Amino acid sequence: MSFISIEFLLFFTIIVCIYYLIPHQFRWILLLVASYVFYGMINVQFLPLLILSTVCTYFFGIVIEKQETKKQKKHVMLLGISILLFFLGWFKYFNFVNESLRAVAEYFNWNYSIPYQEILLPIAISFYTFQAVSYLVDVSKGKQKAERHYGYFSIYFAFFPQLVAGPIERAKKLLPQLRAEQSLEYENISYGMKRIAWGFFKKTLIADRLAPIVSSVFDSPNPTGSEVVVGTILFSIQLYADFSALSDIAIGCARILGIKLSENFKQPHFAVSISDFWNRWHITLSTWLRDYIFFPLCKGKKKRSDIYVAIIITFLVSGVWHGAAWTFVLWGLIHGIYRVFGDYTKHYREKVVSFTRLDRSPTLHRWMKISITFFLICFARVFFRSDSVSQAFENAQLFLSISSWSPVGIFKALELFTLLDFVVFSFFFIILQLFQYIERKKVSTWKLLSQRSLITRYAFYIFIILSVLVFGVSGDGFVYGRF
Amino acid sequence: MRNIDKYKHAFITALDIEESEVREDLALGDIREWDSIGHMGLISEMEDVFDVSIDAEWMTEFNSYSSGLELLKRLGVDFINE
């Protein structure tokens, strides 16, 4: 069952109705059954793995808490995390490691006999494993009490609005909300419905409209340089619309149930630097990596060069987390290099800005930084989107060729769109930008809208719904659902 | 050396700045040396000097001279009765 479907909306409506009709003490049963039904309808064969991971984490949490010394707690925690990472490693990385070793063996003419295994990737395994790891670490450090109620704990693991692609939540934030009795509140229902509708808008009118155009470039055996440039920029827009739509729907659904999930995006394509970008893109993953990978790696490190190494490793982990392929590893490495290079050259860049007097025009300076950051992000996404390393390097070379950016070539590459598609996409893209512009002015668009007259408000809501129904297209799932 | 002097000295050593730059109203980002990466080095220096462990969530909480002082007090470092 896809988020973007009538079936999901019907399923969710039924769950909401029952949720508010039954007493609080039975709601966890409803949410757990709903979560497992939802997951089972996507891929029933991996439901036992989800349950097994939940059971393991639940018991390890309790056992960790019962240990007397910090050292014992740490040992049990590491054992628990190892089991969880074994599941993740087996299903997600076995063939990646196996094929990489085979390539090395072939290169050196060694005998290598481990065959390729037919292993399917369980949906959401990266997301729930990360939630489990953070839970075990927090319990071992005494920041989180081990949850004794197996029902609530299982929902933390499998809460259906955020199971497929996050936001990655911490137990400290989600468990108390699941335990608290939520009452039916107009504000929650209204806000949740708007967020869901906005998610549908971004997904069906931006992301899925762009998906076939982007694919036509990256699936083409010999795209032109300008097509790679246009395809990559469109992919960046598609990826943002796709993933932020998913977060919108997750946040909206949870809010209707009275639960507040973490925000995952803050207009990342308006970031003024790479570090700023990672404060705005997939925020819950970035903070997870910061707290559970980067900070521990920095322990005892005083030199900048040592911290640079920690940055590179953290971005490599981010790359590998996104997918078991060398293209993702390279994507992570590029971001790590960006971050380190950005820090190393900060002083020189400041001097250049001062010398060119760019700092006297803050708006121009800001937009230059936004443009350069976006260009760098797009370049890295050539690797993210390409199907193989060789294709990624070919595309990257095309992306960096000055001739690929010629206005004539770019204009010709826009022929990837049909005229109707271009007009429809441009119209809804402008609406999205207007929405974001209002948000950048530190005003909540929804709040602003709520201050308008009833007619204006409902005209906007009807416009969104009709746009989705008339012009929306639906592709095959979410890009981030694969991770 | 008193703990408060050790505290100030940690800033000087970790961030490689002059004593005059360590002010009580100093905050993360105020000076070029105290950026997010310099902050990690400063945390390590504080952990070494005061033999404490500063956890991930406190690292972000420690964002100024005074908040660092408060954090260390909570971790048992005595700045008053020494």
Side-chain angles (χ1 to χ4, degrees):
Chain A
M1 181 178 4
S2 165
F3 259 13
I4 302 293
S5 64
I6 300 292
E7 291 91 334
F8 174 75
L9 290 179
L10 277 173
F11 169 79
F12 184 66
T13 309
I14 293 165
I15 299 299
V16 172
C17 292
I18 303 172
Y19 182 80
Y20 284 113
L21 283 173
I22 59 176
H24 170 65
Q25 64 262 38
F26 301 121
R27 285 180 183 169
W28 69 266
I29 302 171
L30 175 76
L31 288 185
L32 188 56
V33 171
S35 297
Y36 286 163
V37 167
F38 177 73
Y39 191 77
M41 285 176 83
I42 298 171
N43 207 332
V44 75
Q45 72 188 100
F46 293 119
L47 194 53
L49 180 68
L50 174 69
I51 295 169
L52 181 63
S53 298
T54 311
V55 172
C56 271
T57 314
Y58 174 78
F59 282 110
F60 269 101
I62 293 170
V63 175
I64 289 169
E65 200 173 65
K66 283 186 175 166
Q67 302 305 305
E68 284 175 1
T69 66
K70 274 187 178 179
K71 202 173 176 182
Q72 286 170 328
K73 283 177 193 280
K74 194 177 173 183
H75 285 158
V76 180
M77 173 198 82
L78 288 174
L79 181 64
I81 290 175
S82 303
I83 292 170
L84 291 165
L85 293 184
F86 172 75
F87 294 149
L88 182 67
W90 172 260
F91 285 100
K92 191 163 177 174
Y93 300 109
F94 179 84
N95 277 327
F96 170 58
V97 174
N98 191 21
E99 295 306 303
S100 300
L101 288 175
R102 178 171 299 124
V104 172
E106 270 175 24
Y107 184 79
F108 289 105
N109 240 352
W110 294 336
N111 187 23
Y112 189 81
S113 56
I114 300 174
Y116 177 85
Q117 305 286 318
E118 278 299 331
I119 303 171
L120 287 176
L121 179 66
I123 298 262
I125 187 168
S126 307
F127 288 94
Y128 66 69
T129 302
F130 266 31
Q131 288 205 170
V133 169
S134 67
Y135 172 77
L136 292 183
V137 172
D138 289 354
V139 170
S140 81
K141 289 190 170 177
K143 286 193 230 166
Q144 168 69 42
K145 280 196 163 191
E147 177 60 57
R148 268 22 188 214
H149 192 295
Y150 182 74
Y152 287 126
F153 181 76
S154 302
I155 305 169
Y156 164 65
F157 227 85
F159 187 44
F160 72 95
Q162 48 104 217
L163 171 66
V164 178
I168 299 169
E169 290 292 349
R170 309 285 171 92
K172 198 163 67 176
K173 180 171 181 184
L174 196 52
L175 276 170
Q177 293 194 73
L178 294 170
R179 281 186 164 280
E181 183 169 354
Q182 308 292 350
S183 52
L184 181 64
E185 283 180 27
Y186 170 78
E187 205 180 309
N188 282 344
I189 305 287
S190 161
Y191 182 79
M193 283 171 70
K194 286 175 210 163
R195 281 298 287 261
I196 294 170
W198 189 235
F200 270 69
F201 181 92
K202 282 197 262 184
K203 174 70 175 160
T204 64
L205 296 163
I206 308 285
D208 284 355
R209 283 202 155 268
L210 289 179
I213 295 156
V214 171
S215 293
S216 72
V217 174
F218 283 91
D219 294 346
S220 164
N222 47 2
T224 67
S226 298
E227 282 175 349
V228 170
V229 168
V230 170
T232 306
I233 292 170
L234 293 180
F235 173 61
S236 294
I237 298 167
Q238 180 207 344
L239 192 64
Y240 167 70
D242 187 280
F243 192 18
S244 67
L246 191 120
S247 290
D248 284 329
I249 297 169
I251 290 167
C253 289
R255 182 62 77 87
I256 289 176
L257 297 167
I259 290 159
K260 286 183 182 172
L261 296 182
S262 305
E263 290 295 335
N264 225 7
F265 292 92
K266 278 185 200 162
Q267 302 196 23
H269 292 152
F270 290 89
V272 292
S273 66
I274 295 297
S275 61
D276 186 28
F277 173 78
W278 284 104
N279 288 331
R280 294 157 169 263
W281 175 274
H282 205 171
I283 298 164
T284 54
L285 174 69
S286 301
T287 50
W288 192 99
L289 290 167
R290 183 195 69 190
D291 293 350
Y292 300 101
I293 305 286
F294 178 64
F295 284 165
L297 283 173
C298 284
K299 277 275 171 193
K301 307 281 191 298
K302 292 178 190 171
K303 286 188 200 160
R304 249 173 207 266
S305 55
D306 290 340
I307 293 162
Y308 286 164
V309 173
I311 289 173
I312 298 275
I313 295 172
T314 306
F315 276 109
L316 284 174
V317 172
S318 174
V320 173
W321 179 87
H322 276 85
W326 285 104
T327 47
F328 290 110
V329 176
L330 286 170
W331 170 80
L333 181 66
I334 291 168
H335 273 278
I337 292 170
Y338 282 165
R339 184 71 185 84
V340 169
F341 183 79
D343 182 75
Y344 191 75
T345 59
K346 196 166 73 176
H347 185 48
Y348 303 106
R349 285 186 289 118
E350 280 167 5
K351 277 187 176 171
V352 171
V353 168
S354 176
F355 179 74
T356 55
R357 298 186 174 190
L358 203 55
D359 48 355
R360 294 189 184 182
S361 321
T363 310
L364 176 67
H365 186 203
R366 192 166 157 272
W367 278 100
M368 272 188 74
K369 287 198 281 187
I370 289 172
S371 307
I372 292 167
T373 307
F374 184 68
F375 173 83
L376 293 172
I377 297 297
C378 283
F379 174 70
R381 279 181 178 152
V382 170
F383 288 81
F384 193 92
R385 182 61 179 80
S386 296
D387 292 329
S388 67
V389 173
S390 57
Q391 191 202 40
F393 276 108
E394 280 169 25
N395 287 337
Q397 208 175 359
L398 288 169
F399 186 84
L400 291 179
S401 301
I402 293 170
S403 60
S404 303
W405 292 80
S406 82
V408 178
I410 298 280
F411 192 73
K412 188 146 177 46
L414 287 176
E415 286 174 8
L416 290 163
F417 284 98
T418 64
L419 182 62
L420 179 67
D421 264 347
F422 185 74
V423 171
V424 171
F425 165 73
S426 302
F427 176 72
F428 291 113
F429 185 66
I430 290 167
I431 303 281
L432 174 70
Q433 293 311 316
L434 282 174
F435 188 96
Q436 295 199 336
Y437 175 78
I438 296 169
E439 298 268 322
R440 284 205 299 282
K441 297 290 164 195
K442 308 279 179 205
V443 183
S444 161
T445 313
W446 299 118
K447 203 172 259 180
L448 191 82
L449 206 61
S450 68
Q451 291 159 357
R452 308 284 116 180
S453 68
L454 197 71
I455 295 170
T456 313
R457 267 186 289 152
Y458 277 87
F460 185 71
Y461 303 149
I462 291 167
F463 163 74
I464 289 190
I465 293 165
L466 280 181
S467 301
V468 171
L469 291 175
V470 177
F471 295 105
V473 290
S474 185
D476 50 350
F478 289 94
V479 178
Y480 260 72
R482 291 203 303 264
F483 306 136
Chain B
M1 198 189 277
R2 291 183 311 150
N3 280 340
I4 191 70
D5 298 321
K6 284 184 191 170
Y7 182 69
K8 282 179 187 167
H9 200 255
F11 277 88
I12 297 165
T13 312
L15 303 177
D16 195 17
I17 54 176
E18 299 295 322
E19 194 174 351
S20 58
E21 289 182 272
V22 187
R23 303 180 319 266
E24 288 190 7
D25 60 347
L26 188 65
L28 176 66
D30 275 0
I31 52 173
R32 187 160 47 84
E33 291 83 355
W34 196 6
D35 58 4
S36 57
I37 292 175
H39 189 60
M40 302 313 299
L42 179 62
I43 296 279
S44 296
E45 183 70 22
M46 292 292 175
E47 287 185 326
D48 270 5
V49 169
F50 295 107
D51 194 22
V52 290
S53 179
I54 299 175
D55 241 334
E57 64 184 313
W58 299 331
M59 283 187 194
T60 43
E61 190 188 308
F62 177 8
N63 54 14
S64 65
Y65 179 95
S66 52
S67 64
L69 216 51
E70 289 305 314
L71 173 63
L72 289 171
K73 279 180 196 168
R74 266 191 284 143
L75 290 171
V77 181
D78 190 351
F79 289 98
I80 303 162
N81 308 306
E82 53 172 331

